[in-house]
Structure formats: structure tokens, C-alpha cells
Amino acid sequence: MAALLAIGNREVHAQMQTSSTERFERGLAILQRIGGENFDAPINSLAETSPDLSRFTVEYPYGDVLSRPGLDLTLRQLCTVSMLLADGNAQPQLKFHMAGYLNAGGRPETLLELLFISVAILGFPSTVNAVGLVRAVFSERGMELEPFAPVTDDGTMRSQTGSATLRALTAGDVTAYFNAFETASPDLARLSVEFAFGEALARDGLDPRAKLLAIISMLAANGNRAAALRLHLGGALAAGVTREEIIEVLIQLSVCCGFPAALNAFSVAKEVFSGQTNLPRTETLPFTRSEGRIERRERGRATLVQTSGAPGNAVINSFNDVAPDLGRMIVEHSYGEIFCRDGIDLKTRELTTCAALAALGTITAETPLRVHITAALNVGATRGEIIETFVNLAPYCGYPAVQHATSIAAEEFAKHG
């Protein structure tokens, strides 16, 4: 305790002296605001197995962290949803906190905007899985989903838009960040600007500060994203997010993702804070006219025909009730810009995709894994090649992940006779 006083952290000292009862009562009040009518159902269920963990769940996450005054509760819930999106295995908790975001005063359309941020930062599996949870939350509350109107431009200004968005959302040595991979893959650098920043992150439905806190939450929760996290922390400071707000988000990370993730993110934040006054704003990158949407869409549809035998209309239309642009992005970007590339053949692409999804090993990766196992078969991969792809992962991902992926493959093989 003397060490805490020696560094002048009396706030922490006082909080540690707060009784367990006070922390529990404070946490219960916050949980009730977030959880609504049946706010205590999860902790009551947990108490049947472990009363102590049930009590800890109220005292620390809600009584110690979410009750802190440094960040508005609505923003806290936005960050919680963002962190759980990155987790990939916390669907019940993600759904609970999506509803909690609305209970805390959040706007319904913000949950839809988070899906587009997720596309850029986390990829399509996490995003597509979350769509079903958003639908369920809205349905259970008797709310009408107001789908976003699809974009109407021809898509040829993506490079310019991406450059402007990159400048708005980052600060620091962006040149060094891009140089680390641009020499090996100029196309990856181009797509990073055109798609990630020029489409997914360029949307204006979220306040820039909230968008940056969501991005920071996803990157910090994802882990091992120090370079990107550093740039977006700098961008947040440049956009008016305070150090105190960032610190609150990273403290909250300890609740959703554990202390190791929080400590790693704090080490990056400390570095950014120490050089705050010397952070250069991102320069506007040179840009050229981008290829139009029609060309990308037609190429994506043609690729889908090869891998799935379907032209892609079902994919494009499957999100019309939520955000039509999500389906369009899957076809135009995933298939019209990535899978159509001729650097490797389609069979190899499908096998490597299966490997990547199996290595992720998350719930959000299971449905896409099934899709790509079928696609691998469609483009000429044998069942043996698919299984060997999974077995090859064992030294790197562990046997449980490989066993699970192989079980999924066996189920898909059975469907094909």
C-alpha cells in the first residue's frame, strides 16, 4: 500500500479500500442500467455454479470499471461491443451488450455502423456473424430495422476518399507503416487505402471520436496489432479524444479481454502519449482514379460461379434488411478483388482460406469454414487435400483446433455424399 501512496495514486488506494458490499451495489446499479428488465439473469445463472465468480463479475467489471466517471456509459458500451466483436467466441455476451448499448441510450443505427468498422478491422466472418445478433436484438425489442440505403456512386473515387479518411483517422509515421509491406505487395497497400479506408471506414454515420474509440477497442482486443493501434491512438489524440478517455477504454479492455491484452495495449499507448507533441498528421497520399464498382462486381460474380456455382445474387441480397452494402462488399471486394487474383490458383486459394479459418478456431469462423470447404471441393480439391491442410496446422494451432476443423469437414463431406 505504501508503494501506491508513494506514487501519489490516492484514487486507486481509496478504491481498494472500498468495501465489497459497496462495490457490489454500485456494480449492480450499472448492470441494471445496461441489462434492462432481466439484468440479473446471467449472474443468477452463474451463481448456481459459482457464487464467488458471480459476485466478482458484478464487483469488478461493473462496480470498479464501468462505473468510473472518465467515459460516458454509452461510449463504454460501444467499446464493449467493439471488443466482443473482436473476440469471436463471445456471442451471448456480444448480444447482451448490443442490447445494453441501446439500454444505455445508444442509437440503433450505430450498431449497424459498427459492422462496417468490423469489416475493415476484423474481416467479414466476425461481421457477418454479428448481423444475426443485431437482427435478434432488434426483433426481441420489437424494433423495426431501418436498413442503410446503399451507396450510389460509381466507386471510382475510392483512392481519393481512402487517402482523406486515412488522414482523418491516423497520426504518426504512416509512411513507415505502409513501407513495411508495400515493397512486398503494392496491391495490398492500394487495397488497404481503397477498400479499408476508402469504403468501410469512410462512412460518416459515426462521430469521428466514437469511430476511433471503436477502432482502438477492436485493435487492442485483437492483440498483436501494435503498429496499427499506434497510428489510430495518434489519430484519436489529433481528433480530440483525451488521454483519459483512451486510458478508460484500455482499463475496460481488462474486463473484456483480460489483463495481458490491456497491459500490452497500455505499453503502446504509453509510447504514443510520450511522443504526443511530435506526432505528424498523416499526409494526403497520391491517388489515382479507382476501378468502378460494376467491373469489380461482375468479376466477383464470375469468381463466385467458379467456387460455389452461384452468381452471387444471394450473397448480395442477404443483408438487404440491415445494410445492403455488406453483401455488395463481400462480392466486390472478397471475390472481385481478392479471390479473382491470378497469383495462385483457385484451389490453392480455397485451401489456404480453409487453413486460415481453421486456425482462427472461433465460432465466427465456423460458417465460413463450411462454405470454403465446399468451395474447395468445387474447384478441384480432394477430401484428402482438405484434411491434410488441417493436419498441417497441428504443430502451430494445437490439436483441438485441428480436430474441430476436421469434424466440420467430415460433416460437410457427408452432405456431398
Side-chain angles (χ1 to χ4, degrees):
M1 199 64 65
L4 290 176
L5 291 174
I7 62 173
N9 203 337
R10 292 183 175 83
E11 179 185 349
V12 173
H13 177 62
Q15 190 166 348
M16 291 177 67
Q17 297 301 308
T18 304
S19 73
S20 177
T21 300
E22 291 172 319
R23 294 168 63 218
F24 187 87
E25 290 176 352
R26 186 170 61 239
L28 207 61
I30 295 294
L31 179 57
Q32 187 168 11
R33 287 183 62 188
I34 291 171
E37 183 178 353
N38 296 314
F39 74 96
D40 56 351
I43 59 169
N44 287 339
S45 176
L46 179 59
E48 294 174 7
T49 304
S50 176
D52 282 345
L53 183 56
S54 177
R55 174 172 57 82
F56 295 158
T57 300
V58 176
E59 286 180 1
Y60 178 66
Y62 296 96
D64 286 344
V65 178
L66 271 72
S67 64
R68 291 169 60 91
L71 196 64
D72 173 79
L73 186 61
T74 306
L75 268 179
R76 284 194 180 280
Q77 282 302 109
L78 178 77
C79 293
T80 298
V81 171
S82 300
M83 293 170 190
L84 293 174
L85 273 166
D87 181 277
N89 283 312
Q91 276 59 38
Q93 294 80 10
L94 176 55
K95 181 184 174 187
F96 179 87
H97 285 284
M98 283 177 169
Y101 171 75
L102 299 177
N103 291 338
R107 300 182 308 134
E109 55 267 31
T110 296
L111 290 178
L112 303 184
E113 289 292 349
L114 276 181
L115 299 176
F116 290 96
I117 297 174
S118 175
V119 165
I121 304 299
L122 306 174
F124 283 105
S126 295
T127 305
V128 171
N129 181 269
V131 170
L133 300 180
V134 171
R135 287 184 178 124
V137 167
F138 277 65
S139 175
E140 290 171 9
R141 299 169 78 91
M143 297 173 62
E144 289 288 333
L145 263 171
E146 295 286 341
F148 289 141
V151 296
T152 57
D153 66 281
D154 64 5
T156 59
M157 297 300 289
R158 287 198 315 172
S159 179
Q160 182 176 5
T161 302
S163 178
T165 305
L166 181 65
R167 189 175 193 279
L169 295 179
T170 63
D173 196 347
V174 176
T175 300
Y177 178 81
F178 274 86
N179 283 346
F181 58 85
E182 187 172 20
T183 52
S185 177
D187 280 350
L188 177 60
R190 176 181 58 79
L191 289 170
S192 298
V193 174
E194 290 191 0
F195 180 75
F197 287 94
E199 285 206 66
L201 296 177
R203 298 173 58 86
D204 59 6
L206 260 184
D207 168 79
R209 293 173 67 257
K211 179 185 288 189
L212 279 158
L213 289 177
I215 291 171
I216 288 166
S217 296
M218 290 181 188
L219 289 170
N222 229 194
N224 201 26
R225 302 288 185 270
L229 179 59
R230 191 177 297 115
L231 292 180
H232 287 287
L233 285 170
L237 293 170
V241 178
T242 66
R243 287 177 50 154
E244 290 70 25
E245 288 172 323
I246 291 171
I247 287 169
E248 288 299 322
V249 169
L250 300 186
I251 289 174
Q252 191 168 318
L253 186 67
S254 70
V255 171
C256 296
C257 304
F259 278 93
L263 294 174
N264 288 338
F266 263 109
S267 69
V268 179
K270 180 181 178 182
E271 177 187 338
V272 174
F273 292 160
S274 66
Q276 181 175 353
T277 57
N278 299 316
L279 286 175
R281 287 308 304 265
T282 301
E283 296 181 2
T284 301
L285 301 179
F287 52 83
T288 57
R289 186 176 179 83
S290 302
E291 184 184 43
R293 298 190 193 286
I294 293 176
E295 294 90 340
R296 295 195 300 269
R297 189 174 308 172
E298 291 310 308
R299 194 166 54 241
R301 282 175 165 158
T303 306
L304 264 169
V305 168
Q306 290 181 270
T307 59
S308 67
N313 291 336
V315 175
I316 291 175
N317 296 327
S318 59
F319 305 101
N320 284 352
D321 63 322
V322 178
D325 281 335
L326 283 177
R328 176 188 60 76
M329 285 178 172
I330 291 174
V331 174
E332 291 182 9
H333 179 61
S334 296
Y335 290 91
E337 293 190 286
I338 304 297
F339 260 68
C340 65
R341 294 171 60 86
D342 59 8
I344 53 177
D345 60 75
L346 265 180
K347 185 177 87 168
T348 305
R349 284 199 183 276
E350 289 295 350
L351 288 174
T352 55
T353 301
C354 289
L357 292 166
L360 283 174
T362 60
I363 291 173
T364 59
E366 286 188 7
T367 297
L369 177 57
R370 293 180 185 278
V371 169
H372 286 284
I373 287 170
T374 298
L377 293 171
N378 289 341
V379 296
T382 67
R383 297 181 180 191
E385 287 173 324
I386 293 171
I387 297 303
E388 281 303 316
T389 297
F390 293 151
V391 172
N392 198 53
L393 299 175
Y396 309 100
C397 305
Y399 278 85
V402 173
Q403 292 159 359
H404 184 60
T406 302
S407 296
I408 290 175
E411 293 172 4
E412 293 307 304
F413 294 162
K415 294 177 185 177
H416 291 81

